[in-house]
DNA sequence: TTGACAAATCAAATTTTATTGATATGATAT
DNA sequence: ATATCATATCAATAAAATTTGATTTGTCAA
């Protein structure tokens, strides 16, 4: 059983995904692991800024990183997609079975 | 076939979900449709602020609203969960098949 | 050990987002 | 028509996130 995520966890994950440039980074990494220097070019971002965005994604648990000699390789965290998928599925299920209350 | 979402669309959706208070609103509505006045209490938010957050969620396509006499009822958009679920699934799939490149 | 390269961190400036209180709009009932 | 209730909008402020340029840290090779 996976560890239960709090609302704060989800807010952090969604915040990391709330920026087009970070979505572009994620999209680039869908093809596979890359070092920072090979992300900078395609994404078109200065080194320090890219580093900032990578940190946001990594701290949210969406990316992981590993040093390989002089370089640091980033890749999509294996569980990232599952977390989003199950959040979406639960939302879809509750929306389907939700009562129409006409509360007032 | 569903309409293709752009990166800007996704960024907007994720931004709407990036706030704990908005996640609490969404969670409350999982039980079913409610008018604004019946959200304010449980969420504990001033009227104008709640109205702002509902707008963020609605404009992202996560909620929909309908006037019922004097009241406006909000509910989870039927497609909201599906959009997130498929985003998550695609991410999970690409992470699974991603090549280890060791680029540098 | 020095030099060069890769990436992270920091402080300052900028931009975006959230919050507040006041006001406007729209519906209902008298 | 007027009063009242529900919600949205607006302008001002406060708070948070992003961007920039400079500096630091860590690794390798000469």
């Amino acid at each position: 059983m996976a560890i239960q995520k709090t609302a704060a966890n989800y807010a952090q994950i969604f915040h990391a995904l709330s920026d087009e440039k970070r979505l572009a980074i994620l999209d680039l990494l869908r093809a596979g692991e890359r070092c920072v220097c090979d992300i900078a070019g395609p994404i078109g971002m200065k080194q320090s800024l890219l580093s900032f965005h990578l940190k946001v994604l990594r701290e949210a648990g969406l990316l992981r990183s590993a040093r390989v000699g002089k370089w640091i390789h980033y890749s999509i965290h294996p569980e990232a997609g599952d977390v989003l998928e199950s959040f979406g599925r639960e939302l879809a299920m509750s929306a389907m079975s939700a009562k129409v209350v006409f509360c007032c």
Side-chain angles (χ1 to χ4, degrees), chain A:
Chain A
M1 187 174 71
I3 293 165
Q4 175 68 31
K5 291 220 177 301
T6 64
N9 290 154
Y10 279 117
Q12 186 182 16
I13 291 168
F14 291 130
H15 167 255
L17 293 168
S18 72
D19 180 281
E20 281 195 61
K21 289 156 193 167
R22 288 194 291 263
L23 290 177
I25 292 170
L26 210 63
D27 201 47
L28 187 67
L29 291 176
R30 288 176 61 183
E33 154 180 3
R34 274 179 192 252
C35 68
V36 178
C37 54
D38 280 358
I39 299 172
I43 299 295
M45 209 181 272
K46 331 180 89 174
Q47 186 271 320
S48 67
L49 184 53
L50 176 56
S51 192
F52 165 77
H53 286 300
L54 288 171
K55 184 181 183 180
V56 171
L57 288 163
R58 180 166 37 76
E59 289 185 341
L62 296 167
L63 296 185
R64 57 183 187 177
S65 62
R67 182 175 280 277
V68 178
K70 209 148 75 161
W71 302 277
I72 296 185
H73 285 209
Y74 277 84
S75 56
I76 294 176
H77 192 292
E79 289 178 24
D82 299 331
V83 170
L84 295 170
E85 187 181 351
S86 60
F87 182 95
R89 187 166 43 239
E90 289 188 19
L91 192 65
M93 287 195 316
S94 56
M96 206 163 3
S97 63
K99 282 173 287 191
V100 177
V101 271
F102 289 94
C103 52
C104 298

